[in-house]
Amino acid sequence: MTGVTLPGQTGVPAAESGPMVHAEQVHKSFGSIEVLKGIDLQVRAGEVCCLLGPSGSGKSTFLRCINHLEKINAGWIRVDGELIGYRERGGKLHEMREKEVAAQRRAIGMVFQRFNLFPHKTALENVTEAPLLVRKEKRAEVRERAAALLERVGLGDKLGNYPSQLSGGQQQRVAIARALAMKPKLMLFDEPTSALDPELVGEVLDVMKDLAHDGMTMIVVTHEIGFAREVGDSLVFMDNGVVVESGNPREVIADPKHERTKAFLAKVL
């Protein structure tokens, strides 16, 4: 099992009732390229945190580290007080077995740029797949919940449609319903609208706004400045693997303090 360096001298603090997500000094390298250079982040339960930054700044990599799709090289990440992907022993973090990591991921929903739906399964079957196979829930209960979730994202009349029969926006809404079917405590969105035609972006953002209104904890990598301003509780601007600036989205967008943030927003606003 791989040992991971801990920040500071005190190791990882005991499980806490504070932030839903707590990351400290997270480092990640791919070979000789250091992509994350010591990321600190706290996200409260019920908070919508928006990650902004140019391509290659490390946003998506950090998001994937939160549910251990990428293994960190140093630092630590907790979700709801629980270390993700590692357990502490002898002053180091040692990687959990894949089965243990998979169990942790069940509580963390993730929606990607690409929809990754099963092309040979209907919308309803895509949403019921994981609860049936992973959580071993009763089929009737899962189908009822899946139908309700698809209704919630505006696809109550598309239960029997295959992905090829759906628009990109509809497919992404199925993907959101699929993630919600696992009853996550945290939702991660990796540029969920970037692969969509402009006229389809709004229907996906509306679903995300609805989730935020209902109190879902969300971390959203996005270039949708309007969404960050309207829905976000916090905004984190990243560049070159570090957090450059963070704060209230409306304040950061209206009056950024760091020159790099100013330059980025000047190009996208």
Side-chain angles (χ1 to χ4, degrees):
M1 298 168 76
T2 305
V4 174
T5 305
L6 292 169
Q9 302 299 315
T10 57
V12 182
E16 53 199 46
S17 59
M20 174 61 74
V21 179
H22 191 180
E24 183 168 319
Q25 285 300 295
V26 173
H27 290 255
K28 172 64 182 176
S29 297
F30 295 101
S32 61
I33 301 173
E34 191 176 20
V35 178
L36 300 178
K37 304 174 182 177
I39 300 294
D40 295 328
L41 182 76
Q42 293 190 40
V43 179
R44 304 182 312 274
E47 180 179 338
V48 178
C49 174
C50 295
L51 303 184
L52 297 184
S55 297
S57 60
K59 308 182 302 298
S60 294
T61 296
F62 177 63
L63 206 68
R64 292 170 63 86
C65 288
I66 292 174
N67 64 359
H68 205 62
L69 288 176
E70 297 291 351
K71 302 173 184 179
I72 62 176
N73 300 113
W76 51 264
I77 300 172
R78 282 190 184 276
V79 173
D80 201 16
E82 182 179 5
L83 276 173
I84 295 298
Y86 300 91
R87 60 171 50 86
E88 186 178 10
R89 188 173 69 244
K92 285 187 175 292
L93 296 185
H94 296 268
E95 193 173 359
M96 291 178 172
R97 295 190 298 271
E98 181 57 34
K99 185 176 181 179
E100 296 172 301
V101 176
Q104 291 185 320
R105 289 197 189 111
R106 295 175 194 173
I108 305 173
M110 188 159 185
V111 178
F112 300 88
Q113 297 178 38
R114 297 292 174 180
F115 325 123
N116 298 327
L117 300 179
F118 295 113
H120 61 291
K121 292 184 180 293
T122 65
L124 185 67
E125 289 168 340
N126 267 280
V127 177
T128 60
E129 181 86 357
L132 289 173
L133 294 182
V134 178
R135 297 177 70 103
K136 308 297 184 184
E137 295 184 56
K138 294 180 180 179
R139 182 171 296 274
E141 294 176 2
V142 170
R143 286 180 63 87
E144 182 178 355
R145 186 166 79 247
L149 286 169
L150 287 167
E151 179 70 35
R152 179 179 180 180
V153 300
L155 297 173
D157 60 340
K158 304 291 185 183
L159 305 188
N161 287 52
Y162 292 90
S164 62
Q165 298 171 314
L166 301 172
S167 70
Q170 289 171 332
Q171 290 185 61
Q172 190 63 295
R173 284 185 279 155
V174 173
I176 293 172
R178 178 181 59 183
L180 292 173
M182 291 293 284
K183 303 177 182 178
K185 63 180 71 173
L186 168 68
M187 286 285 286
L188 307 176
F189 292 87
D190 188 6
E191 299 194 36
T193 61
S194 65
L196 300 178
D197 293 332
E199 65 269 21
L200 301 178
V201 168
E203 62 191 48
V204 173
L205 293 180
D206 284 345
V207 171
M208 295 170 63
K209 291 174 186 177
D210 182 56
L211 289 177
H213 183 265
D214 285 352
M216 174 63 73
T217 310
M218 299 159 58
I219 302 179
V220 185
V221 172
T222 184
H223 290 296
E224 300 290 340
I225 303 298
F227 175 86
R229 183 193 291 115
E230 178 185 350
V231 182
D233 297 299
S234 61
L235 184 150
V236 175
F237 177 71
M238 291 178 60
D239 188 33
N240 197 30
V242 300
V243 172
V244 175
E245 186 167 350
S246 63
N248 178 284
R250 288 153 289 286
E251 294 175 2
V252 173
I253 293 168
D255 186 24
K257 305 304 181 186
H258 196 283
E259 290 301 320
R260 184 65 187 93
T261 316
K262 293 179 182 178
F264 175 81
L265 290 173
K267 292 181 179 179
V268 299
L269 288 175

